[in-house]
Each structure stands twice: as C-alpha cells, then as structure tokens.
PDB file of all heavy atoms in Angstrom:
ATOM      1  N   SER A   5       0.829  -1.200   0.000  1.00 91.00           N
ATOM      2  CA  SER A   5       0.000   0.000   0.000  1.00 91.00           C
ATOM      3  C   SER A   5       0.867   1.255   0.000  1.00 91.00           C
ATOM      4  O   SER A   5       2.012   1.245   0.455  1.00 91.00           O
ATOM      5  CB  SER A   5      -0.932   0.005   1.213  1.00 91.00           C
ATOM      6  OG  SER A   5      -1.797  -1.110   1.193  1.00 91.00           O
ATOM      7  N   GLU A   6       0.308   2.335  -0.535  1.00 90.00           N
ATOM      8  CA  GLU A   6       0.962   3.643  -0.565  1.00 90.00           C
ATOM      9  C   GLU A   6      -0.014   4.661   0.007  1.00 90.00           C
ATOM     10  O   GLU A   6      -1.136   4.808  -0.492  1.00 90.00           O
ATOM     11  CB  GLU A   6       1.337   4.029  -1.995  1.00 90.00           C
ATOM     12  CG  GLU A   6       2.374   3.151  -2.655  1.00 90.00           C
ATOM     13  CD  GLU A   6       3.788   3.506  -2.234  1.00 90.00           C
ATOM     14  OE1 GLU A   6       3.943   4.513  -1.503  1.00 90.00           O
ATOM     15  OE2 GLU A   6       4.722   2.779  -2.614  1.00 90.00           O
ATOM     16  N   SER A   7       0.405   5.364   1.071  1.00 88.00           N
ATOM     17  CA  SER A   7      -0.502   6.336   1.693  1.00 88.00           C
ATOM     18  C   SER A   7      -0.748   7.528   0.782  1.00 88.00           C
ATOM     19  O   SER A   7      -1.856   8.029   0.666  1.00 88.00           O
ATOM     20  CB  SER A   7       0.052   6.799   3.034  1.00 88.00           C
ATOM     21  OG  SER A   7       1.318   7.438   2.853  1.00 88.00           O
ATOM     22  N   CYS A   8       0.287   7.986   0.119  1.00 88.00           N
ATOM     23  CA  CYS A   8       0.139   9.082  -0.835  1.00 88.00           C
ATOM     24  C   CYS A   8       1.413   9.182  -1.657  1.00 88.00           C
ATOM     25  O   CYS A   8       2.519   9.107  -1.106  1.00 88.00           O
ATOM     26  CB  CYS A   8      -0.146  10.405  -0.131  1.00 88.00           C
ATOM     27  SG  CYS A   8      -0.640  11.724  -1.284  1.00 88.00           S
ATOM     28  N   LYS A   9       1.247   9.335  -2.939  1.00 90.00           N
ATOM     29  CA  LYS A   9       2.403   9.382  -3.825  1.00 90.00           C
ATOM     30  C   LYS A   9       2.151  10.417  -4.911  1.00 90.00           C
ATOM     31  O   LYS A   9       1.045  10.494  -5.472  1.00 90.00           O
ATOM     32  CB  LYS A   9       2.646   8.005  -4.440  1.00 90.00           C
ATOM     33  CG  LYS A   9       4.015   7.828  -5.054  1.00 90.00           C
ATOM     34  CD  LYS A   9       4.251   6.362  -5.407  1.00 90.00           C
ATOM     35  CE  LYS A   9       5.669   6.164  -5.947  1.00 90.00           C
ATOM     36  NZ  LYS A   9       5.928   4.719  -6.256  1.00 90.00           N
ATOM     37  N   VAL A  10       3.190  11.217  -5.213  1.00 90.00           N
ATOM     38  CA  VAL A  10       3.077  12.219  -6.270  1.00 90.00           C
ATOM     39  C   VAL A  10       3.247  11.540  -7.618  1.00 90.00           C
ATOM     40  O   VAL A  10       4.210  10.800  -7.839  1.00 90.00           O
ATOM     41  CB  VAL A  10       4.131  13.322  -6.090  1.00 90.00           C
ATOM     42  CG1 VAL A  10       4.103  14.285  -7.283  1.00 90.00           C
ATOM     43  CG2 VAL A  10       3.889  14.077  -4.799  1.00 90.00           C
ATOM     44  N   LEU A  11       2.291  11.790  -8.505  1.00 89.00           N
ATOM     45  CA  LEU A  11       2.398  11.243  -9.860  1.00 89.00           C
ATOM     46  C   LEU A  11       3.176  12.194 -10.754  1.00 89.00           C
ATOM     47  O   LEU A  11       4.166  11.805 -11.371  1.00 89.00           O
ATOM     48  CB  LEU A  11       1.000  10.984 -10.432  1.00 89.00           C
ATOM     49  CG  LEU A  11       0.942  10.263 -11.771  1.00 89.00           C
ATOM     50  CD1 LEU A  11       1.526   8.858 -11.639  1.00 89.00           C
ATOM     51  CD2 LEU A  11      -0.495  10.192 -12.281  1.00 89.00           C
ATOM     52  N   CYS A  12       2.735  13.436 -10.836  1.00 89.00           N
ATOM     53  CA  CYS A  12       3.475  14.449 -11.596  1.00 89.00           C
ATOM     54  C   CYS A  12       2.809  15.803 -11.417  1.00 89.00           C
ATOM     55  O   CYS A  12       1.605  15.890 -11.174  1.00 89.00           O
ATOM     56  CB  CYS A  12       3.534  14.092 -13.090  1.00 89.00           C
ATOM     57  SG  CYS A  12       1.972  14.362 -13.965  1.00 89.00           S
ATOM     58  N   PRO A  13       3.583  16.883 -11.511  1.00 90.00           N
ATOM     59  CA  PRO A  13       3.001  18.227 -11.569  1.00 90.00           C
ATOM     60  C   PRO A  13       2.783  18.632 -13.024  1.00 90.00           C
ATOM     61  O   PRO A  13       3.575  18.274 -13.907  1.00 90.00           O
ATOM     62  CB  PRO A  13       4.076  19.096 -10.907  1.00 90.00           C
ATOM     63  CG  PRO A  13       5.360  18.384 -11.193  1.00 90.00           C
ATOM     64  CD  PRO A  13       5.051  16.919 -11.316  1.00 90.00           C
ATOM     65  N   VAL A  14       1.716  19.373 -13.298  1.00 92.00           N
ATOM     66  CA  VAL A  14       1.394  19.817 -14.654  1.00 92.00           C
ATOM     67  C   VAL A  14       1.052  21.303 -14.611  1.00 92.00           C
ATOM     68  O   VAL A  14       0.279  21.743 -13.743  1.00 92.00           O
ATOM     69  CB  VAL A  14       0.210  19.016 -15.249  1.00 92.00           C
ATOM     70  CG1 VAL A  14      -0.167  19.566 -16.616  1.00 92.00           C
ATOM     71  CG2 VAL A  14       0.556  17.533 -15.355  1.00 92.00           C
ATOM     72  N   THR A  15       1.640  22.042 -15.519  1.00 93.00           N
ATOM     73  CA  THR A  15       1.288  23.455 -15.694  1.00 93.00           C
ATOM     74  C   THR A  15       0.412  23.563 -16.938  1.00 93.00           C
ATOM     75  O   THR A  15       0.853  23.265 -18.054  1.00 93.00           O
ATOM     76  CB  THR A  15       2.533  24.335 -15.846  1.00 93.00           C
ATOM     77  OG1 THR A  15       3.350  24.187 -14.672  1.00 93.00           O
ATOM     78  CG2 THR A  15       2.139  25.792 -16.004  1.00 93.00           C
ATOM     79  N   LEU A  16      -0.831  23.971 -16.759  1.00 92.00           N
ATOM     80  CA  LEU A  16      -1.811  23.957 -17.840  1.00 92.00           C
ATOM     81  C   LEU A  16      -1.725  25.231 -18.677  1.00 92.00           C
ATOM     82  O   LEU A  16      -1.607  26.336 -18.137  1.00 92.00           O
ATOM     83  CB  LEU A  16      -3.219  23.822 -17.277  1.00 92.00           C
ATOM     84  CG  LEU A  16      -3.519  22.585 -16.420  1.00 92.00           C
ATOM     85  CD1 LEU A  16      -4.951  22.644 -15.902  1.00 92.00           C
ATOM     86  CD2 LEU A  16      -3.287  21.304 -17.210  1.00 92.00           C
ATOM     87  N   THR A  17      -1.776  25.036 -19.972  1.00 92.00           N
ATOM     88  CA  THR A  17      -1.971  26.180 -20.855  1.00 92.00           C
ATOM     89  C   THR A  17      -3.453  26.560 -20.824  1.00 92.00           C
ATOM     90  O   THR A  17      -4.291  25.862 -20.239  1.00 92.00           O
ATOM     91  CB  THR A  17      -1.562  25.840 -22.288  1.00 92.00           C
ATOM     92  OG1 THR A  17      -2.431  24.805 -22.788  1.00 92.00           O
ATOM     93  CG2 THR A  17      -0.128  25.360 -22.340  1.00 92.00           C
ATOM     94  N   LYS A  18      -3.776  27.660 -21.456  1.00 92.00           N
ATOM     95  CA  LYS A  18      -5.160  28.100 -21.494  1.00 92.00           C
ATOM     96  C   LYS A  18      -6.053  27.062 -22.170  1.00 92.00           C
ATOM     97  O   LYS A  18      -7.150  26.750 -21.690  1.00 92.00           O
ATOM     98  CB  LYS A  18      -5.254  29.441 -22.218  1.00 92.00           C
ATOM     99  CG  LYS A  18      -6.667  30.009 -22.297  1.00 92.00           C
ATOM    100  CD  LYS A  18      -6.677  31.367 -22.945  1.00 92.00           C
ATOM    101  CE  LYS A  18      -6.254  31.285 -24.409  1.00 92.00           C
ATOM    102  NZ  LYS A  18      -6.396  32.583 -25.107  1.00 92.00           N
ATOM    103  N   ASP A  19      -5.586  26.516 -23.286  1.00 92.00           N
ATOM    104  CA  ASP A  19      -6.387  25.522 -24.010  1.00 92.00           C
ATOM    105  C   ASP A  19      -6.548  24.235 -23.205  1.00 92.00           C
ATOM    106  O   ASP A  19      -7.618  23.611 -23.222  1.00 92.00           O
ATOM    107  CB  ASP A  19      -5.737  25.210 -25.370  1.00 92.00           C
ATOM    108  CG  ASP A  19      -5.786  26.396 -26.315  1.00 92.00           C
ATOM    109  OD1 ASP A  19      -6.669  27.262 -26.111  1.00 92.00           O
ATOM    110  OD2 ASP A  19      -4.951  26.458 -27.237  1.00 92.00           O
ATOM    111  N   GLU A  20      -5.486  23.827 -22.509  1.00 92.00           N
ATOM    112  CA  GLU A  20      -5.572  22.604 -21.709  1.00 92.00           C
ATOM    113  C   GLU A  20      -6.535  22.786 -20.542  1.00 92.00           C
ATOM    114  O   GLU A  20      -7.319  21.877 -20.205  1.00 92.00           O
ATOM    115  CB  GLU A  20      -4.184  22.212 -21.211  1.00 92.00           C
ATOM    116  CG  GLU A  20      -3.256  21.721 -22.310  1.00 92.00           C
ATOM    117  CD  GLU A  20      -1.848  21.480 -21.802  1.00 92.00           C
ATOM    118  OE1 GLU A  20      -1.481  22.066 -20.754  1.00 92.00           O
ATOM    119  OE2 GLU A  20      -1.107  20.727 -22.451  1.00 92.00           O
ATOM    120  N   ALA A  21      -6.521  23.945 -19.918  1.00 92.00           N
ATOM    121  CA  ALA A  21      -7.461  24.211 -18.830  1.00 92.00           C
ATOM    122  C   ALA A  21      -8.899  24.205 -19.333  1.00 92.00           C
ATOM    123  O   ALA A  21      -9.799  23.640 -18.695  1.00 92.00           O
ATOM    124  CB  ALA A  21      -7.131  25.554 -18.171  1.00 92.00           C
ATOM    125  N   ASN A  22      -9.110  24.806 -20.494  1.00 92.00           N
ATOM    126  CA  ASN A  22     -10.457  24.825 -21.075  1.00 92.00           C
ATOM    127  C   ASN A  22     -10.908  23.411 -21.456  1.00 92.00           C
ATOM    128  O   ASN A  22     -12.099  23.090 -21.357  1.00 92.00           O
ATOM    129  CB  ASN A  22     -10.491  25.736 -22.291  1.00 92.00           C
ATOM    130  CG  ASN A  22     -10.321  27.198 -21.925  1.00 92.00           C
ATOM    131  OD1 ASN A  22     -10.535  27.586 -20.764  1.00 92.00           O
ATOM    132  ND2 ASN A  22      -9.941  28.028 -22.887  1.00 92.00           N
ATOM    133  N   ALA A  23      -9.972  22.561 -21.914  1.00 92.00           N
ATOM    134  CA  ALA A  23     -10.328  21.184 -22.253  1.00 92.00           C
ATOM    135  C   ALA A  23     -10.774  20.429 -21.013  1.00 92.00           C
ATOM    136  O   ALA A  23     -11.757  19.668 -21.048  1.00 92.00           O
ATOM    137  CB  ALA A  23      -9.135  20.491 -22.913  1.00 92.00           C
ATOM    138  N   PHE A  24     -10.072  20.622 -19.913  1.00 93.00           N
ATOM    139  CA  PHE A  24     -10.486  19.990 -18.651  1.00 93.00           C
ATOM    140  C   PHE A  24     -11.865  20.480 -18.231  1.00 93.00           C
ATOM    141  O   PHE A  24     -12.736  19.696 -17.829  1.00 93.00           O
ATOM    142  CB  PHE A  24      -9.464  20.290 -17.553  1.00 93.00           C
ATOM    143  CG  PHE A  24      -8.465  19.204 -17.329  1.00 93.00           C
ATOM    144  CD1 PHE A  24      -7.111  19.495 -17.259  1.00 93.00           C
ATOM    145  CD2 PHE A  24      -8.870  17.883 -17.180  1.00 93.00           C
ATOM    146  CE1 PHE A  24      -6.178  18.498 -17.051  1.00 93.00           C
ATOM    147  CE2 PHE A  24      -7.944  16.882 -16.967  1.00 93.00           C
ATOM    148  CZ  PHE A  24      -6.587  17.178 -16.898  1.00 93.00           C
ATOM    149  N   ILE A  25     -12.077  21.790 -18.301  1.00 92.00           N
ATOM    150  CA  ILE A  25     -13.353  22.374 -17.878  1.00 92.00           C
ATOM    151  C   ILE A  25     -14.498  21.837 -18.729  1.00 92.00           C
ATOM    152  O   ILE A  25     -15.575  21.495 -18.211  1.00 92.00           O
ATOM    153  CB  ILE A  25     -13.275  23.908 -17.946  1.00 92.00           C
ATOM    154  CG1 ILE A  25     -12.305  24.441 -16.888  1.00 92.00           C
ATOM    155  CG2 ILE A  25     -14.653  24.535 -17.771  1.00 92.00           C
ATOM    156  CD1 ILE A  25     -12.039  25.933 -16.983  1.00 92.00           C
ATOM    157  N   GLU A  26     -14.281  21.737 -20.048  1.00 90.00           N
ATOM    158  CA  GLU A  26     -15.329  21.213 -20.928  1.00 90.00           C
ATOM    159  C   GLU A  26     -15.646  19.755 -20.602  1.00 90.00           C
ATOM    160  O   GLU A  26     -16.815  19.349 -20.584  1.00 90.00           O
ATOM    161  CB  GLU A  26     -14.897  21.340 -22.391  1.00 90.00           C
ATOM    162  CG  GLU A  26     -15.968  20.898 -23.369  1.00 90.00           C
ATOM    163  CD  GLU A  26     -15.549  21.064 -24.813  1.00 90.00           C
ATOM    164  OE1 GLU A  26     -14.395  21.521 -25.048  1.00 90.00           O
ATOM    165  OE2 GLU A  26     -16.346  20.744 -25.709  1.00 90.00           O
ATOM    166  N   ALA A  27     -14.607  18.955 -20.331  1.00 91.00           N
ATOM    167  CA  ALA A  27     -14.832  17.553 -19.975  1.00 91.00           C
ATOM    168  C   ALA A  27     -15.586  17.430 -18.661  1.00 91.00           C
ATOM    169  O   ALA A  27     -16.443  16.558 -18.491  1.00 91.00           O
ATOM    170  CB  ALA A  27     -13.495  16.816 -19.893  1.00 91.00           C
ATOM    171  N   ILE A  28     -15.296  18.314 -17.712  1.00 92.00           N
ATOM    172  CA  ILE A  28     -15.996  18.291 -16.422  1.00 92.00           C
ATOM    173  C   ILE A  28     -17.453  18.680 -16.599  1.00 92.00           C
ATOM    174  O   ILE A  28     -18.361  18.053 -16.036  1.00 92.00           O
ATOM    175  CB  ILE A  28     -15.295  19.228 -15.425  1.00 92.00           C
ATOM    176  CG1 ILE A  28     -13.899  18.693 -15.083  1.00 92.00           C
ATOM    177  CG2 ILE A  28     -16.128  19.390 -14.161  1.00 92.00           C
ATOM    178  CD1 ILE A  28     -13.055  19.664 -14.277  1.00 92.00           C
ATOM    179  N   GLU A  29     -17.719  19.702 -17.401  1.00 90.00           N
ATOM    180  CA  GLU A  29     -19.098  20.152 -17.616  1.00 90.00           C
ATOM    181  C   GLU A  29     -19.939  19.092 -18.323  1.00 90.00           C
ATOM    182  O   GLU A  29     -21.145  18.982 -18.075  1.00 90.00           O
ATOM    183  CB  GLU A  29     -19.099  21.453 -18.421  1.00 90.00           C
ATOM    184  CG  GLU A  29     -18.554  22.654 -17.650  1.00 90.00           C
ATOM    185  CD  GLU A  29     -18.476  23.894 -18.500  1.00 90.00           C
ATOM    186  OE1 GLU A  29     -18.610  23.765 -19.744  1.00 90.00           O
ATOM    187  OE2 GLU A  29     -18.280  24.998 -17.930  1.00 90.00           O
ATOM    188  N   GLN A  30     -19.305  18.307 -19.191  1.00 89.00           N
ATOM    189  CA  GLN A  30     -20.025  17.248 -19.891  1.00 89.00           C
ATOM    190  C   GLN A  30     -19.995  15.923 -19.142  1.00 89.00           C
ATOM    191  O   GLN A  30     -20.441  14.903 -19.652  1.00 89.00           O
ATOM    192  CB  GLN A  30     -19.439  17.073 -21.298  1.00 89.00           C
ATOM    193  CG  GLN A  30     -19.653  18.287 -22.188  1.00 89.00           C
ATOM    194  CD  GLN A  30     -18.995  18.134 -23.545  1.00 89.00           C
ATOM    195  OE1 GLN A  30     -18.245  17.188 -23.781  1.00 89.00           O
ATOM    196  NE2 GLN A  30     -19.282  19.062 -24.436  1.00 89.00           N
ATOM    197  N   GLU A  31     -19.487  15.953 -17.910  1.00 89.00           N
ATOM    198  CA  GLU A  31     -19.503  14.809 -16.996  1.00 89.00           C
ATOM    199  C   GLU A  31     -18.814  13.581 -17.590  1.00 89.00           C
ATOM    200  O   GLU A  31     -19.338  12.457 -17.526  1.00 89.00           O
ATOM    201  CB  GLU A  31     -20.928  14.478 -16.568  1.00 89.00           C
ATOM    202  CG  GLU A  31     -21.608  15.610 -15.809  1.00 89.00           C
ATOM    203  CD  GLU A  31     -22.982  15.217 -15.297  1.00 89.00           C
ATOM    204  OE1 GLU A  31     -23.287  14.014 -15.268  1.00 89.00           O
ATOM    205  OE2 GLU A  31     -23.753  16.138 -14.937  1.00 89.00           O
ATOM    206  N   TYR A  32     -17.651  13.795 -18.144  1.00 92.00           N
ATOM    207  CA  TYR A  32     -16.859  12.662 -18.635  1.00 92.00           C
ATOM    208  C   TYR A  32     -16.328  11.848 -17.454  1.00 92.00           C
ATOM    209  O   TYR A  32     -16.027  12.392 -16.390  1.00 92.00           O
ATOM    210  CB  TYR A  32     -15.698  13.160 -19.493  1.00 92.00           C
ATOM    211  CG  TYR A  32     -16.042  13.300 -20.954  1.00 92.00           C
ATOM    212  CD1 TYR A  32     -16.517  14.499 -21.456  1.00 92.00           C
ATOM    213  CD2 TYR A  32     -15.897  12.220 -21.824  1.00 92.00           C
ATOM    214  CE1 TYR A  32     -16.838  14.639 -22.803  1.00 92.00           C
ATOM    215  CE2 TYR A  32     -16.214  12.344 -23.170  1.00 92.00           C
ATOM    216  CZ  TYR A  32     -16.687  13.550 -23.652  1.00 92.00           C
ATOM    217  OH  TYR A  32     -17.013  13.673 -24.977  1.00 92.00           O
ATOM    218  N   ARG A  33     -16.236  10.553 -17.678  1.00 93.00           N
ATOM    219  CA  ARG A  33     -15.732   9.637 -16.657  1.00 93.00           C
ATOM    220  C   ARG A  33     -14.486   8.931 -17.185  1.00 93.00           C
ATOM    221  O   ARG A  33     -14.383   8.615 -18.372  1.00 93.00           O
ATOM    222  CB  ARG A  33     -16.788   8.594 -16.263  1.00 93.00           C
ATOM    223  CG  ARG A  33     -18.035   9.223 -15.650  1.00 93.00           C
ATOM    224  CD  ARG A  33     -19.000   8.163 -15.159  1.00 93.00           C
ATOM    225  NE  ARG A  33     -18.483   7.427 -14.008  1.00 93.00           N
ATOM    226  CZ  ARG A  33     -18.600   7.818 -12.755  1.00 93.00           C
ATOM    227  NH1 ARG A  33     -19.207   8.977 -12.480  1.00 93.00           N
ATOM    228  NH2 ARG A  33     -18.121   7.089 -11.770  1.00 93.00           N
TER     229      ARG A  33
END
C-alpha cells in the first residue's frame, strides 16, 4: 500500500485548462 504518492506536476496552458473544464461540464468519466 501507498498512503500518498506524487504522480506528476502539470502546468496547464489556457487551451488545456479549457479542455479539462469542458470535460468536467459534460460529466466525462
């Protein structure tokens, strides 16, 4: 087991942030 582990840090561009937001609004799983 692992209590908590860092996978990676990501710095989002404007388009990448908007892509995440659109996926969240459309309830992607």
Side-chain angles (χ1 to χ4, degrees):
S5 299
E6 295 279 355
S7 61
C8 191
K9 196 170 184 178
V10 174
L11 187 63
C12 75
V14 176
T15 301
L16 301 178
T17 64
K18 181 176 66 174
D19 293 337
E20 290 174 338
N22 292 340
F24 262 132
I25 292 173
E26 184 178 1
I28 294 171
E29 291 176 347
Q30 295 176 352
E31 298 185 16
Y32 271 91
R33 298 185 68 85

